[in-house]
Amino acid sequence: MWVRNNELLYFVTSGSRDWKKYYSDYGAYFIRTQDIKTNKLELDNAAHVDLPKNVEGKRSLVEKGDLLMTITGANVGKVAIVDQKIPEAYISQSVALMKPIDPEITPYLHYYFQSDSFGSKMINELVYGVGRPVLSLENMREVAVALPCLEEQKVIVSELELKFSTIEKIENELISAVNKAEMLRQSILKKAFSGQLVKQNNEEEPAFKLLMRVQAEKQIHLELKKIQKSKTQKNKKPMNTESPDILDILKKAKGPMSAVEVWQESKHRDSIESFYAELKTIQSKISETRKETESFLELINED
């Protein structure tokens, strides 16, 4: 049969205001919306309050068999069951406390108010307010409940708990698999960057030599750019087409020449880009050697 939620409850209330002044590192639990945001009561991070003897609000004492629901904020409509005896605890003003006449129906109500097709849907239709949603106690009392007999309620709860237990097991297995995959990924990355992923080739160039060569290239490039910038700022002149090209300079040279010297004597002295462009076209005709950070060019003897 269909009944109003209020017909199943003997007491409904929300928590008291202005209890922040009683916050403490010890004392009774103070249950807030974040403590039931997963539709379960989680007290690991709950606040505590140290209350005077006759403070108003002790009417909201939480006991086994109670149902808690958030009535303000982003988690409005979330519901938790107090399915075991807990230490002294009270609720904040953003949480509603429902005490069913018969505690045996509490598990059924807990699942009913989570259903997107029934209780949860009805609750959400009654929420009002923009930015900070609110559910009034009066509206919560008037929500319709589809109530089967107690025996059928127990069967429904039993089946749901079995299904949810299976889901939770699968979720835990997936989390474990994801963690193992991440550990494997990190292990592969470690092996890759420590040279253990593939068989090493002793004929390959050592990494430190590669690094030295990269650093030398960078230094030469920076020096050439610096010289080019300095000359450009002093006097921008068109490219000197009468100056010799790289091959002409190397043919007249008596030995290896510094790459910087070749560039300065060539027709490319005002453009490092064109200097590198010609080097690419004649790279099969010249050899390059390095001494520390300096590069030397020499014409290959075709004899």
Side-chain angles (χ1 to χ4, degrees), residues 12-195:
V12 181
T13 189
S14 59
S16 296
R17 299 174 181 272
D18 303 324
W19 270 26
K20 285 186 177 181
K21 58 187 175 183
Y22 301 127
Y23 276 8
S24 173
D25 293 331
Y26 56 89
Y29 283 116
F30 188 56
I31 299 171
R32 299 163 295 174
T33 57
Q34 55 263 47
D35 302 318
I36 57 178
K37 65 181 179 181
T38 59
N39 287 313
K40 292 191 297 185
L41 180 59
E42 298 177 349
L43 297 176
D44 292 343
N45 298 311
H48 291 270
V49 285
D50 184 22
L51 302 174
K53 290 183 179 180
N54 298 319
V55 66
E56 189 278 332
K58 284 196 173 182
R59 55 182 167 72
S60 65
L61 178 67
V62 178
E63 299 172 303
K64 181 181 177 181
D66 290 344
L67 207 60
L68 307 177
M69 182 179 290
T70 58
I71 55 176
T72 61
N75 297 321
V76 67
K78 295 294 183 180
V79 61
I81 183 175
V82 184
D83 55 2
Q84 57 186 346
K85 188 175 181 179
I86 63 172
E88 183 182 7
Y90 302 92
I91 56 173
S92 73
Q93 67 186 52
S94 298
V95 176
L97 170 64
M98 295 181 279
K99 292 182 177 289
I101 296 170
D102 184 353
E104 285 193 273
I105 71 173
T106 307
Y108 173 80
L109 290 177
H110 179 223
Y111 286 123
Y112 180 79
F113 285 121
Q114 293 180 59
S115 170
D116 289 338
S117 301
F118 289 88
S120 179
K121 178 184 177 182
M122 297 175 185
I123 287 290
N124 288 328
E125 288 175 350
L126 296 172
V127 171
Y128 61 92
V130 179
R132 184 174 173 79
V134 176
L135 174 69
S136 72
L137 292 181
E138 186 59 34
N139 284 339
M140 189 182 65
R141 290 188 182 100
E142 295 301 316
V143 171
V145 177
L147 190 71
C149 65
L150 189 58
E151 287 73 17
E152 188 174 346
Q153 291 179 37
K154 291 179 179 179
V155 173
I156 292 172
V157 170
S158 178
E159 287 293 325
L160 287 173
E161 289 178 346
L162 179 61
K163 300 295 184 183
F164 288 147
S165 177
T166 303
I167 292 171
E168 186 175 356
K169 181 181 178 181
I170 294 173
E171 286 179 341
N172 290 334
E173 290 174 353
L174 287 174
I175 292 171
S176 177
V178 169
N179 291 336
K180 288 180 180 178
E182 179 59 23
M183 290 174 63
L184 179 60
R185 178 175 179 273
Q186 292 301 323
S187 175
I188 292 173
L189 289 172
K190 181 180 179 181
K191 287 183 178 180
F193 291 107
S194 60

Side-chain angles (χ1 to χ4, degrees), residues 223-236:
E223 289 179 1
L224 293 177
K225 291 289 286 184
K226 186 177 180 181
I227 294 172
Q228 180 190 17
K229 183 177 179 181
S230 177
K231 286 198 166 192
T232 303
Q233 289 177 344
K234 288 181 180 179
N235 184 21
K236 292 185 179 180

Side-chain angles (χ1 to χ4, degrees), residues 1-13:
M1 60 184 296
W2 286 95
V3 299
R4 290 185 303 120
N5 185 35
N6 195 50
E7 295 179 62
L8 305 174
L9 310 172
Y10 74 87
F11 185 67
V12 181
T13 189

